[in-house]
């Protein structure tokens, strides 16, 4: 699927409730009943609505991430537009959501909690959302400490442990700065067999066919391919280190 399919189709977004519903209500200038929209019923959300929620959440979290270090830069905005190939037909809608969300950082945690709950059975989608948020953070040449703190908080909302967060974090560092063991999510105490098994499992998990079958948006596949390259380089580096010891 494309991340932009049926964005904000009909009134689906306004029926979602929770913090995402609040953002959309404010964006449209509608009155928002906080008590009524405090939560949402996961079982009543269709697959089409889930796709919309995934897209809207990514736009909102990208904007709040860009705002977290004080100012949203043109580099960050351009990185979002170019990386995710926003179609002309959706630019106005995406711009409204992004502009409303970037007013302040407040509310990102509630949105991350909501998306983490909704996609709790598809962790790979959440991993790739976090991976692409790291890409947005690095688009202005560096990832600030405030951005790292916000990304770690989002990771916790997605119920990721420290190993998973470090693996995604290390993937987004340049090759010289990254730790190959952390990229694979293993330790120096793991055996060669355990490390090889982890490497094989990650290659299977991140294979494009597997990601597409689980509903990964096409726009996220490119970043996951870079992730595969980094994982294979890390595995080669570990083998080289161990061959010398």
């Amino acid at each position: 699927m494309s991340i932009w399919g049926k964005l904000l189709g009909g009134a689906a977004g306004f029926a979602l409730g929770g913090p995402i519903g609040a953002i959309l209500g404010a964006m449209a200038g509608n009155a928002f009943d906080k008590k009524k929209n405090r939560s949402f019923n996961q079982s009543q959300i269709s697959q089409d609505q889930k796709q919309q929620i995934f897209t809207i959440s990514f736009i909102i979290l990208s904007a709040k991430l860009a705002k977290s270090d004080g100012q949203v830069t043109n580099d960050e905005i351009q990185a979002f537009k170019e990386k995710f190939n926003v179609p002309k037909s959706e630019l106005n809608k995406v711009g409204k959501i992004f502009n409303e969300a970037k007013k302040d950082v407040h509310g990102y945690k509630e949105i991350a909690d909501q998306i983490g709950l909704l996609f709790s059975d598809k962790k790979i989608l959440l991993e790739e959302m976090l991976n692409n948020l790291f890409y947005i953070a690095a688009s202005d040449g560096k990832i600030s400490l405030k951005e790292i703190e916000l990304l770690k908080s989002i990771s916790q909302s997605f119920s990721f442990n420290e190993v998973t967060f470090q693996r995604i974090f290390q993937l987004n560092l340049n090759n010289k700065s990254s730790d190959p063991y952390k990229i694979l999510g293993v330790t120096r105490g793991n055996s060669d067999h355990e490390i090889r098994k982890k490497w094989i499992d990650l290659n299977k998990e991140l294979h494009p066919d597997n990601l597409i079958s689980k509903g990964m948006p096409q726009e996220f596949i490119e970043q996951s391919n870079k992730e595969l390259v980094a994982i294979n380089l890390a595995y080669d580096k570990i083998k080289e280190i161990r061959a010398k010891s």
Side-chain angles (χ1 to χ4, degrees):
M1 70 177 185
S2 169
I3 195 173
W4 305 116
K6 299 181 181 179
L7 180 62
L8 292 181
F14 300 97
L16 296 178
I20 296 174
I23 285 282
L24 297 180
M27 181 192 78
N30 287 5
F32 175 64
D33 185 339
K34 291 184 178 180
K35 290 183 179 179
K36 182 180 178 181
N37 289 278
R38 189 171 294 163
S39 61
F40 69 105
N41 189 334
Q42 184 173 345
S43 64
Q44 295 179 355
I45 297 176
S46 69
Q47 287 303 313
D48 279 349
Q49 285 179 315
K50 282 187 176 182
Q51 181 178 341
Q52 291 180 55
I53 295 168
F54 188 91
T55 302
I56 294 164
S57 299
F58 182 68
I59 298 168
I60 294 171
L61 290 177
S62 295
K64 291 189 177 297
L65 175 65
K67 182 66 175 178
S68 66
D69 55 2
Q71 185 176 0
V72 181
T73 67
N74 286 331
D75 288 337
E76 288 165 324
I77 295 172
Q78 282 303 116
F80 184 92
K81 288 181 180 178
E82 293 173 8
K83 173 70 174 176
F84 303 105
N85 194 26
V86 183
K88 290 182 179 179
S89 60
E90 302 293 349
L91 273 173
N92 187 48
K93 296 174 185 175
V94 172
K96 284 183 178 179
I97 298 171
F98 195 94
N99 288 335
E100 179 63 34
K102 76 175 185 180
K103 288 179 179 178
D104 56 49
V105 180
H106 179 72
Y108 83 87
K109 179 69 174 172
E110 290 81 3
I111 289 167
D113 287 345
Q114 189 173 0
I115 195 77
L117 176 61
L118 187 59
F119 291 93
S120 60
D121 60 337
K122 290 189 176 181
K123 290 294 186 184
I124 188 62
L125 294 181
L126 296 176
E127 283 194 25
E128 289 310 307
M129 179 179 280
L130 185 61
N131 189 22
N132 280 273
L133 287 171
F134 264 105
Y135 172 85
I136 297 296
S139 61
D140 58 357
K142 64 182 184 304
I143 303 177
S144 70
L145 288 175
K146 288 186 177 179
E147 286 172 326
I148 292 173
E149 289 173 1
L150 188 142
L151 288 163
K152 189 162 190 176
S153 177
I154 291 173
S155 176
Q156 291 167 347
S157 290
F158 291 172
S159 298
F160 293 156
N161 58 25
E162 181 65 17
V163 172
T164 300
F165 175 76
Q166 283 296 328
R167 179 166 62 78
I168 298 171
F169 178 31
Q170 294 289 324
L171 282 166
N172 286 277
L173 298 176
N174 63 55
N175 193 42
K176 291 182 180 179
S177 303
S178 60
D179 183 328
Y181 287 92
K182 288 183 177 179
I183 286 177
L184 289 187
V186 297
T187 70
R188 285 162 175 76
N190 285 122
S191 68
D192 291 348
H193 174 74
E194 290 170 327
I195 292 173
R196 176 175 170 77
K197 184 179 184 305
K198 182 66 174 181
W199 168 69
I200 292 172
D201 289 345
L202 285 172
N203 268 271
K204 288 179 179 177
E205 183 179 83
L206 293 168
H207 191 281
D209 290 343
N210 180 54
L211 297 178
I212 291 171
S213 72
K214 293 186 176 179
M216 182 68 67
Q218 292 285 350
E219 290 81 0
F220 279 26
I221 297 297
E222 181 184 348
Q223 192 70 7
S224 66
N225 286 338
K226 291 180 181 179
E227 194 173 349
L228 271 177
V229 171
I231 285 167
N232 290 328
L233 285 172
Y235 182 58
D236 288 342
K237 188 182 290 186
I238 291 173
K239 288 193 295 182
E240 184 180 338
I241 291 170
R242 292 195 166 205
K244 294 178 180 178
S245 61

